[in-house]
Amino acid sequence: MENYYQPDMERAPYEEMRALQDARLKENVRHAYNIPFYKDLLDRNGVKPEDIQSVDDLYKLPFITKDDLRDAYPYGLLGVQLSDAVRVQATSGTTGRRVVAFYTQADIDLWDECCARAIVAAGGTKDDIVHVCYGYGLFTGGPGLNGGSHRVGCLTLPMSSGNTERQIQFMTDLKSTILCCTPSYAAYLAESIHEAGLIDQISLKAGIFGAEAWSEEMRRDIESKLRIKAYDIYGLTEISGPGVSFECSEQTGMHINEDHFLAEIIDPQTGKQLPYGEKGELVFTCITKKAFPLLRYRTRDICVLTRDKCSCGRTLVKMSRLMGRTDDMLIIRGVNVFPSQIETVIISCGFEANYQIIVDRVNYTDSLDVHVEMTPDMFTDEVRGIEKKENEIVEKLRSMLGLTAKVTLVAPKSITRSEGKAVRIIDKRKI
Amino acid sequence: MIIKQLSIFVENKMGKLVDVVEALGKAGIDIRAQSIADTSDFGILRVIVTKPDEVASLLREQGYIVRLTDVLAVSMPDTPGSLAKVLRALSDENVDVEYTYAFVSHNKDKAYVVIRVENNEHALEVLANHGLLFADEEDIYK
Ligand SMILES: [Zn+2]
């Protein structure tokens, strides 16, 4: 049985959704144009607000990037009177200046509703006890799920992050049923609960895990250890916070709340829109938020959009699990190469994910070298046998990327590690 | 006889082979026979030592990838044509020889070789049928 928080939106026929999006987009472009930053940006690109009449016109708008948001610090992108803004959230600012995002009460309401949709999709009802151990404060994780949980009417535990012992105590004593945190913290909690021998005393049935990329294997691991169903959730502070998209019972990608956030996939090189099913950079346009409107914001996240019929009954467009970041993307002989693609090939050939990609330029041609650490399982006494395994990697890379790589098997633990993490990419090209 | 050979993965880089051989030397291990097969990027060092299992764990502790493989050790008179006779006999009976390499011998009348085939028992049978199995195998580990 599927439940919906706002079935009118979540199950809207495509034409209806498009009409709503067209109207909202038109209005929000006009709204954004009142902000000097957007007026200047559109004017410079020769785009007038009235050029944007529907979603089909989206491509005419210039992109904005995180740098633009940083440059606008602190108030450069505030879209309403200060008196109408009620909240600030901010990114962690690990790579320089922070991005601060503003919210009106209506902006917070729609954000809460998006999170409520995620909780209901994960099976949440007002009878549930939602245990939120995302951080609270400037970080959007805690406030977002907290707000969504209130909307659904769940008993909400604003635990915030850390203090694992206390988390487990509340979880067992108050009988939390839905856990919200990062997947890595969920895995850590699961370990700790097992170590404490308390697995039979927890009442969790579902988890909503986001704010970092995680794999299907990790999902299955958390699910079996905590005896729950684990749902992915996606969001960025710039766009609003968690709940930009959320997973349903099918667990094959996240439905985007496209009545608020328009998603596009573009080729990160050319900026051209790509059709459904093609992998590229995710771009969002906020069509309802007023205090911090975003037009064609490049997330740098790589994924695929699909509009196939979903078994949950939702018609909202779906985004795949994140497949990487454009920051990691290499362009080799004109081909976009993601380290994750190379990793997939290496693992499918039986090796482990201990590898290094070395790109160089010899005689004006890019070279791609892939070093893979030998493992005891893959080692045999025969040179030919090992060469066959090397060639299998070369062949699979060729068919996936259309590039010929030189694959070298290296000794275990020989790949440089920096703070325990293997240094994956060495780009020696000087252009 | 059938003996255990250690196959060790080595990168085909300056000094990598020396590192392994030195590690064995430091541990006081006597290498009775060795050969290396290599390509442009990696090599397989094959050695015969007296206590193969112990040496394998010692090397693994040091981070090496080691595999133990059963191989044939065959002794023969140290006269011209002996090895050829052995290989001919195997070839005539369709026994595929992957590789062979020589042994250090303490008996000046005997030569020893390591022979790698798919099926050791079958190869031994072939050699016995051709009257090519000679005694003194104990000498290998002396
Ligand atoms: Zn669905």
Side-chain angles (χ1 to χ4, degrees):
Chain A
M1 221 325 257
E2 270 300 331
N3 292 305
Y4 314 98
Y5 181 67
Q6 287 166 315
D8 290 354
M9 287 299 161
E10 295 175 58
R11 310 188 59 176
Y14 180 63
E15 294 71 28
E16 248 174 62
M17 179 59 76
R18 270 300 298 262
L20 180 74
Q21 289 172 337
D22 289 346
R24 286 180 169 181
L25 173 65
K26 259 169 75 175
E27 197 202 311
N28 235 31
V29 169
R30 241 178 283 140
H31 168 70
Y33 195 71
N34 295 323
I35 306 169
F37 168 84
Y38 282 109
K39 182 179 186 308
D40 183 52
L41 181 73
L42 267 61
D43 289 353
R44 260 190 292 129
N45 285 274
V47 183
K48 292 189 268 317
E50 51 274 25
D51 292 340
I52 311 303
Q53 291 297 320
S54 78
V55 176
D56 292 333
D57 297 323
L58 204 51
Y59 75 94
K60 296 175 183 168
L61 289 169
F63 295 111
I64 58 168
T65 65
K66 195 155 192 163
D67 286 336
D68 293 321
L69 306 192
R70 288 203 188 103
D71 291 346
Y73 179 90
Y75 283 116
L77 279 169
L78 179 62
V80 295
Q81 296 297 316
L82 201 67
S83 56
D84 290 326
V86 299
R87 174 90 67 82
V88 164
Q89 303 283 167
T91 63
S92 58
T94 44
T95 52
R97 288 162 299 159
R98 288 171 186 276
V99 172
V100 290
F102 306 96
Y103 303 76
T104 62
Q105 186 55 51
D107 293 343
I108 287 184
D109 290 344
L110 75 88
W111 176 26
D112 287 350
E113 284 167 12
C114 288
C115 288
R117 291 180 191 178
I119 291 170
V120 171
T125 70
K126 65 184 183 55
D127 298 325
D128 277 296
I129 300 166
V130 175
H131 190 108
V132 184
C133 37
Y134 282 115
Y136 280 67
L138 287 172
F139 178 60
T140 49
L145 271 306
N146 194 92
S149 176
H150 275 232
R151 283 305 176 102
V152 180
C154 309
L155 179 61
T156 311
L157 276 61
M159 301 299 301
S160 199
S161 52
N163 200 339
T164 303
E165 209 175 305
R166 188 179 64 192
Q167 302 280 5
I168 298 173
Q169 196 188 345
F170 269 77
M171 209 174 279
T172 52
D173 292 349
L174 279 89
K175 311 235 171 296
S176 312
T177 57
I178 297 177
L179 174 64
C180 304
C181 61
T182 61
S184 55
Y185 191 61
Y188 179 74
L189 265 177
E191 292 289 335
S192 308
I193 289 167
H194 278 277
E195 270 168 31
L198 294 170
I199 189 65
D200 291 325
Q201 290 179 51
I202 65 160
S203 309
L204 291 177
K205 63 174 189 186
I208 301 172
F209 306 130
E212 63 188 25
W214 49 315
S215 65
E216 195 58 31
E217 294 73 54
M218 189 169 178
R219 185 216 297 269
R220 296 305 163 207
D221 187 49
I222 294 170
E223 286 188 330
S224 74
K225 284 202 178 118
L226 286 177
R227 303 172 186 171
I228 59 171
K229 198 159 173 171
Y231 298 85
D232 206 352
I233 186 167
Y234 175 85
L236 293 173
T237 304
E238 299 91 304
I239 307 166
S240 73
V244 170
S245 66
F246 62 97
E247 227 173 17
C248 63
S249 56
E250 204 180 89
Q251 293 181 313
T252 53
M254 295 170 277
H255 288 288
I256 296 171
N257 285 313
E258 59 180 327
D259 47 333
H260 298 297
F261 314 108
L262 290 184
E264 298 167 82
I265 290 288
I266 61 156
D267 179 325
Q269 266 357 92
T270 63
K272 289 236 160 54
Q273 284 180 337
L274 295 175
Y276 291 124
E278 275 190 41
K279 183 172 174 175
E281 182 177 351
L282 184 60
V283 172
F284 276 108
T285 298
C286 300
I287 52 173
T288 47
K289 258 179 21 156
K290 297 295 179 211
F292 199 67
L294 285 187
L295 301 182
R296 297 198 93 195
Y297 177 64
R298 295 182 63 153
T299 63
R300 297 189 185 175
D301 285 325
I302 302 290
C303 70
V304 170
L305 291 182
T306 48
R307 202 178 272 286
D308 302 333
K309 211 169 158 120
C310 188
S311 62
C312 75
R314 287 179 184 80
T315 50
L316 300 170
V317 68
K318 253 157 104 169
M319 61 182 268
S320 68
R321 179 184 292 290
L322 300 182
M323 296 164 165
R325 303 263 307 156
T326 56
D327 320 44
D328 299 334
M329 191 183 75
L330 293 160
I331 305 158
I332 302 167
R333 282 174 244 156
V335 179
N336 296 346
V337 176
F338 297 98
S340 58
Q341 291 175 295
I342 294 178
E343 180 169 321
T344 306
V345 166
I346 291 168
I347 290 170
S348 77
C349 291
F351 290 91
E352 283 165 26
N354 297 318
Y355 62 91
Q356 192 164 52
I357 299 161
I358 300 145
V359 189
D360 206 345
R361 183 161 291 176
V362 183
N363 298 328
Y364 305 103
T365 307
D366 294 337
S367 64
L368 170 62
D369 278 44
V370 181
H371 287 184
V372 182
E373 286 185 3
M374 180 51 109
T375 69
D377 285 346
M378 297 302 281
F379 179 58
T380 67
D381 174 48
E382 280 149 53
V383 171
R384 267 179 296 158
I386 297 175
E387 279 183 322
K388 220 176 116 189
K389 288 169 185 168
E390 262 182 351
N391 286 334
E392 196 190 335
I393 301 178
V394 173
E395 278 312 314
K396 282 194 177 173
L397 286 175
R398 199 200 321 273
S399 72
M400 176 180 271
L401 308 169
L403 290 171
T404 306
K406 183 180 182 308
V407 173
T408 304
L409 293 170
V410 298
K413 303 206 164 57
S414 64
I415 287 169
T416 325
R417 279 152 171 87
S418 145
E419 290 169 359
K421 276 170 115 183
V423 178
R424 293 255 181 264
I425 302 160
I426 297 177
D427 197 339
K428 296 177 173 172
R429 291 174 294 187
K430 287 179 190 77
I431 297 164
Chain B
M1 69 183 289
I2 297 168
I3 60 168
K4 275 182 182 170
Q5 164 192 269
L6 265 66
S7 306
I8 305 151
F9 178 82
V10 273
E11 283 181 48
N12 200 351
K13 264 191 210 158
M14 290 265 280
K16 292 291 172 187
L17 178 62
V18 185
D19 288 348
V20 192
V21 177
E22 260 179 11
L24 292 169
K26 266 189 203 144
I29 290 150
D30 184 19
I31 301 175
R32 304 304 319 278
Q34 67 94 13
S35 90
I36 182 141
D38 62 354
T39 69
S40 58
D41 61 271
F42 70 89
I44 302 173
L45 175 67
R46 300 172 178 132
V47 294
I48 305 293
V49 293
T50 16
K51 288 176 179 157
D53 292 299
E54 280 176 31
V55 176
S57 15
L58 182 110
L59 286 173
R60 283 186 187 124
E61 274 166 30
Q62 296 185 34
Y64 287 102
I65 292 181
V66 184
R67 185 166 281 251
L68 288 162
T69 321
D70 286 337
V71 291
L72 289 183
V74 179
S75 66
M76 58 191 77
D78 194 7
T79 51
S82 294
L83 177 61
K85 268 187 211 159
V86 169
L87 296 179
R88 170 57 63 196
L90 293 171
S91 160
D92 285 350
E93 305 271 347
N94 293 318
V95 176
D96 240 354
V97 173
E98 292 276 349
Y99 53 80
T100 74
Y101 56 95
F103 235 82
V104 182
S105 170
H106 295 306
N107 182 336
K108 59 182 181 330
D109 302 326
K110 297 276 180 197
Y112 293 85
V113 282
V114 170
I115 303 177
R116 170 82 158 106
V117 294
E118 193 63 43
N119 185 334
N120 289 317
E121 277 77 16
H122 176 61
L124 278 178
E125 226 179 273
V126 168
L127 292 178
N129 290 344
H130 284 76
L132 289 168
L133 270 192
F134 303 98
D136 293 339
E137 278 103 349
E138 286 70 29
D139 192 40
I140 289 164
Y141 283 145
K142 259 180 212 155

